Amino acid sequence: MLQAENTLFTLVMLLYFSAMILYFAFVALKKDPIVKVAMGLQGLGLVLHTAALVLRGLAAGRLPLTNQYEFATAFAWGLCLVSLIFMLRFTFPLLGAFSAPVTFLIIGYAAMQSKEIHNLMPALQSNWLGFHVSTAIIAYGAFGVSFVLGIIFLLRDKMKAQGFLDEHIPSREKLDIIAYRSVSLGLLFLSFTIITGAIWAERAWGSYWSWDPKETWSLVTWLVYAVYLHLRLRKGWQGKAAAIFAVAGFVCVMFTYIGVNTFLPGVHSYK
Amino acid sequence: MKKVWKFLSSMPFAIGLLVALSAVCALSSLITQGQTYEWYAGAYGPRLGALILALGLDDAFHSWWFWVLTGVLCGNLLLCNLVRLRPLINRTRGFYSADGLPETQDAAPVVHRPKEVFAALSMTPRETERQGQRILFASKNGLGLWGPWVCHLGILLLVVGFSLGQALHREYVVYGVKGQTKPIGDTGYALTIDDFQVKLRADDTVEQYEAAVTVFPQGEAGRGQSARLSVNHPASLFGMKLYQNSTGWAAALTVSKEGQVLEEQILCAGEGLQVQAVPGLVVYLNAFYPDFYLRPGYGPMTLSGALNNPAYLYSIYFQDAMVGMDYWQMEEGPIKVNDYEFTFHDPESYTLLEIKKDKFAWLTLMGGILVLLGLGLCFYVQPVQLWAREQADGTWMVYGKSPKGGPLFTERLLQATEKAKES
């Protein structure tokens, strides 16, 4: 089963890579049919990615969300899913040209991690794990989309001269509200992540909040996006300033995910 | 004074607070917490080390200024919610009334069958009249107006519940081996460890730590309540919550002289025995290795959790001065100090239980639930108001309002009116 998961994972990487190249080709050649193929490949990649995650879950006998490899691949899955939904929902296929590279980078990071399946330590044997990590995947995916939307917003004015891009990129107001929708989705799910994590921590460690670096940075991320939401309500702070905060928020997300694990080890392991 | 209140409940002040809090949290997480001046001086230099201690950054999340910041945030949330309550109630009342019909609208679409526009937006209009003109009106999702207010209330309860819990909770630690009874701090209760097992898998990894305990009021063993607990499965007894927190090795230490046992005590790793017969003499069990292996160049380690080759690391102090420290195994015979003999034996796992009383955890949980509810209302219950006003030529002008919808709502409304025109 793990062999099959491995084969699927490699296939998924190839599909995501091909989709990314096609999105770039769409921008370069300005031919609409290309983007449909790109979206098709990304969709197929997402289906196979789901199958790979299911296979790994069956092989491990648990939800495959407990180590760096499993979370990274699930993160890429979440980002791919949310970006596809936003592309279809807001008829904005060019979003793929910006989100596909991020998805590919994250699945590339997953490929560099150990794929071994280990037994779970007692603290991780909890039903709350599923709620906690799966909500984090959607939150991170949504924040990934808001990040690329922020980048697109900031680049939009520089692309003004090009009719093709202007035609395929929504107006500033619409971009702003699409980014707001993705931040909303992310913040709601991040709140679920933090609260389910707190409930789980209380059961596992007897303390629902202990200012562990991972907890603290989740809070920092939450606060940064809260600032984003408040800024959008202020006249003169919509648009560019909000887009900068959307980008900064994702930097916090990535630091919470990779930076904290690398530089600030805490009590996110049973002692 | 009014200006001050207004500022304290204002959004710019709230944004400033959120930025300050996030900056403080981020900075504090980058500084190792709870260290001494020597540690900080070694890591960051003497000046920065002193500054860290002076600013309380060594225990930032419990420092006075962090409490002040949290208190100011609570004040801002409270004021914000109080100030906005009445306008919000009025706005909610007005939301369901057709009176809010905009006087002018640049791009009010004109249609012949207005009810189709309402249907496209899943709304059922009611008819009314204004200045002799027929008006169709419907509104939905008014609850969404309350999202930010509910969310702010949730954050307030969450912060207050957490702060009260932090300040007033009681926390105790009891550790020991199977059969031992120990008092639970100053609660007036005692705890007996009826059983403790470390369940291992075939590959020697830990599957679960399981304990069985009985808690009873001290001196009233007959009124005891028993429970089993393991990691992720705490138990509640006499209003206290018990957690299986940690484990380690313990062993019995026998002190004898000329073949006669003077005393015996179970020591958990790290504990020492004050020898009663020799004041000032203390024997410590520093560590225990069940499957001892001394790897050259690396030091002691255990190859597995099984008792294949048990070894004890002990130290002996006399009048606070160390007089001996070594590894010891049973086959070496007793450890001798003058006429006294010391023997470690019967190693077993001990359990470390954490016992907590937090009367405000429910408040924090309630706050968390309200935050989720508030965010859900904010983001996914979008208030929409729709009017259609009949014109003299029999056509209808359609007006829509969705405070959170922005251009997406305008787009949707235009699509609905285009559809109505086509039909």
Side-chain angles (χ1 to χ4, degrees):
Chain A
M1 217 178 280
L2 271 182
Q3 184 58 45
E5 187 247 344
N6 217 13
T7 308
L8 277 179
F9 181 82
T10 309
L11 209 55
V12 168
M13 279 194 74
L14 282 172
L15 284 167
Y16 285 169
F17 182 72
S18 309
M20 180 179 77
I21 296 298
L22 284 176
Y23 281 121
F24 291 163
F26 166 61
V27 176
L29 304 173
K30 303 177 176 53
K31 289 189 176 169
D32 284 355
I34 298 176
V35 82
K36 289 182 180 162
V37 181
M39 284 176 76
L41 287 182
Q42 196 181 344
L44 179 63
L46 183 69
V47 171
L48 296 184
H49 201 165
T50 311
L53 289 171
V54 170
L55 279 179
R56 188 172 178 86
L58 290 173
R62 55 171 167 78
L63 279 175
L65 302 169
T66 58
N67 57 34
Q68 279 288 79
Y69 164 71
E70 290 172 352
F71 189 80
T73 183
F75 182 2
W77 178 88
L79 179 56
C80 185
L81 174 74
V82 177
S83 63
L84 264 179
I85 290 172
F86 272 67
M87 275 189 255
L88 295 170
R89 167 78 178 78
F90 300 106
T91 333
F92 183 16
L94 198 70
L95 176 63
F98 293 85
S99 66
V102 183
T103 309
F104 185 70
L105 275 177
I106 294 168
I107 203 164
Y109 174 74
M112 291 189 288
Q113 308 300 313
S114 165
K115 292 184 182 175
E116 274 184 66
I117 290 180
H118 295 287
N119 287 317
L120 290 186
M121 61 177 85
L124 294 180
Q125 296 167 30
S126 168
N127 291 333
W128 288 104
L129 170 80
F131 294 112
H132 178 60
V133 186
S134 55
T135 50
I137 286 160
I138 301 297
Y140 282 23
F143 288 142
V145 169
S146 69
F147 164 73
V148 295
L149 286 165
I151 297 280
I152 295 170
F153 190 100
L154 295 172
L155 291 176
R156 197 184 186 284
D157 291 344
K158 290 174 186 169
M159 297 171 180
K160 232 176 191 174
Q162 298 193 38
F164 170 81
L165 290 177
D166 214 24
E167 188 186 318
H168 284 83
I169 296 177
S171 64
R172 288 167 62 96
E173 293 73 25
K174 195 172 170 185
L175 260 182
D176 181 62
I177 200 139
I178 298 174
Y180 163 75
R181 290 285 169 88
S182 60
V183 169
S184 308
L185 179 71
L187 194 71
L188 179 64
F189 274 82
L190 179 64
S191 306
F192 267 110
T193 306
I194 293 174
I195 290 167
T196 53
I199 295 171
W200 179 21
E202 189 274 335
R203 295 185 69 79
W205 297 310
S207 173
Y208 56 83
W209 192 266
S210 44
W211 296 109
D212 167 68
K214 198 80 155 183
E215 294 171 349
T216 306
W217 273 91
S218 298
L219 178 66
V220 171
T221 306
W222 197 95
L223 290 168
V224 168
Y225 283 112
V227 171
Y228 165 91
L229 290 178
H230 285 84
L231 276 182
R232 278 193 76 262
L233 299 173
R234 300 285 304 164
K235 275 184 187 165
W237 284 86
Q238 283 167 324
K240 198 174 175 183
I244 290 169
F245 264 84
V247 173
F250 193 65
V251 172
C252 291
V253 168
M254 293 310 288
F255 188 79
T256 308
Y257 171 45
I258 297 174
V260 169
N261 288 1
T262 311
F263 305 113
L264 306 170
V267 294
H268 258 69
S269 58
Y270 185 69
K271 287 182 179 175
Chain B
M1 196 62 190
K2 204 174 177 182
K3 277 185 179 174
V4 174
W5 284 117
K6 202 174 174 186
F7 174 71
L8 290 177
S9 64
S10 68
M11 193 184 289
F13 184 60
I15 292 174
L17 272 176
L18 292 174
V19 170
L21 262 175
S22 50
V24 159
C25 289
L27 180 67
S28 303
S29 76
L30 299 176
I31 297 170
T32 308
Q33 299 287 289
Q35 300 296 324
T36 59
Y37 168 74
E38 287 71 22
W39 193 94
Y40 291 116
Y44 305 109
R47 278 189 184 174
L48 213 53
L51 188 68
I52 286 169
L53 286 182
L55 294 177
L57 285 167
D58 59 315
D59 191 16
F61 302 112
H62 302 101
S63 62
W64 65 268
W65 50 264
F66 193 77
W67 282 103
V68 169
L69 205 54
T70 309
V72 174
L73 177 73
C74 287
N76 173 259
L77 286 167
L78 184 65
L79 279 175
C80 175
N81 264 15
L82 286 176
V83 166
R84 281 158 184 73
L85 184 58
R86 188 171 285 277
L88 190 56
I89 291 170
N90 293 337
R91 201 175 159 200
T92 308
R93 280 186 189 143
F95 182 78
Y96 295 102
S97 151
D99 294 345
L101 171 65
E103 286 302 323
T104 56
Q105 187 168 328
D106 293 339
V110 179
V111 294
H112 290 282
R113 296 187 186 86
K115 286 192 179 173
E116 287 181 18
V117 180
F118 283 89
L121 296 172
S122 310
M123 297 168 91
T124 312
R126 64 173 192 270
E127 197 172 320
T128 176
E129 208 181 86
R130 189 166 140 184
Q131 294 163 352
Q133 283 183 307
R134 284 165 72 201
I135 306 273
L136 293 177
F137 171 73
S139 59
K140 68 172 183 181
N141 297 338
L143 211 55
L145 296 170
W146 286 80
W149 198 89
V150 173
C151 185
H152 285 177
L153 179 68
I155 296 170
L156 182 64
L157 291 184
L158 196 147
V159 175
V160 169
F162 176 70
S163 304
L164 286 173
Q166 286 281 296
L168 303 172
H169 82 285
R170 306 300 297 270
E171 189 176 330
Y172 308 93
V173 168
V174 173
Y175 57 93
V177 298
K178 181 180 172 181
Q180 283 190 314
T181 296
K182 296 197 170 180
I184 306 175
D186 57 1
T187 61
Y189 290 89
L191 178 149
T192 300
I193 299 162
D194 301 320
D195 191 20
F196 178 62
Q197 287 180 30
V198 181
K199 289 193 169 175
L200 297 174
R201 300 187 184 96
D203 64 355
D204 211 36
T205 57
V206 176
E207 187 178 357
Q208 188 53 279
Y209 303 93
E210 284 185 358
V213 298
T214 300
V215 175
F216 55 89
Q218 280 177 318
E220 297 178 71
R223 282 185 55 210
Q225 292 179 5
S226 300
R228 295 194 73 83
L229 60 147
S230 55
V231 178
N232 272 316
H233 301 95
S236 289
L237 297 173
F238 292 108
M240 294 177 280
K241 213 155 180 191
L242 289 80
Y243 301 87
Q244 171 55 49
N245 185 287
S246 191
T247 184
W249 283 96
L253 172 63
T254 300
V255 182
S256 50
K257 187 180 180 185
E258 294 163 1
Q260 189 187 349
V261 175
L262 297 179
E263 59 182 306
E264 187 173 295
Q265 190 176 315
I266 292 170
L267 297 181
C268 296
E271 282 188 320
L273 169 69
Q274 166 73 60
V275 180
Q276 286 176 4
V278 188
L281 183 67
V282 186
V283 182
Y284 285 94
L285 171 62
N286 296 90
F288 174 73
Y289 305 90
D291 197 357
F292 182 67
Y293 175 63
L294 194 57
R295 191 175 172 190
Y298 286 89
M301 58 185 289
T302 187
L303 297 173
S304 71
L307 291 164
N308 294 331
N309 184 29
Y312 304 80
L313 174 64
Y314 71 92
S315 57
I316 299 173
Y317 283 76
F318 184 66
Q319 290 176 350
D320 296 330
M322 188 192 282
V323 293
M325 185 176 191
D326 204 353
Y327 300 104
W328 179 81
Q329 294 190 283
M330 187 63 88
E331 52 270 26
E332 294 172 18
I335 303 157
K336 291 181 179 171
V337 177
N338 297 331
D339 297 335
Y340 294 92
E341 293 181 341
F342 302 95
T343 313
F344 289 104
H345 54 95
D346 296 326
E348 61 182 315
S349 293
Y350 74 83
T351 175
L352 187 144
L353 305 168
E354 206 166 319
I355 296 134
K356 286 197 170 180
K357 271 180 162 181
D358 182 354
K359 290 180 181 172
F360 298 96
W362 67 272
L363 194 62
T364 316
L365 181 63
M366 196 188 221
I369 292 169
L370 282 178
V371 169
L372 292 176
L373 181 69
L375 289 177
L377 288 174
C378 274
F379 302 144
Y380 294 101
V381 183
Q382 289 203 14
V384 177
Q385 288 174 295
L386 201 59
W387 294 262
R389 179 158 58 184
E390 193 179 28
Q391 307 297 295
D393 60 359
T395 59
W396 294 75
M397 289 193 84
V398 179
Y399 306 86
K401 259 193 203 172
S402 178
K404 297 177 198 167
L408 292 178
F409 171 72
T410 311
E411 213 171 80
R412 211 176 143 208
L413 181 60
L414 283 172
Q415 280 171 2
T417 49
E418 285 304 316
K419 213 173 158 188
K421 278 180 189 171
E422 283 167 18
S423 67

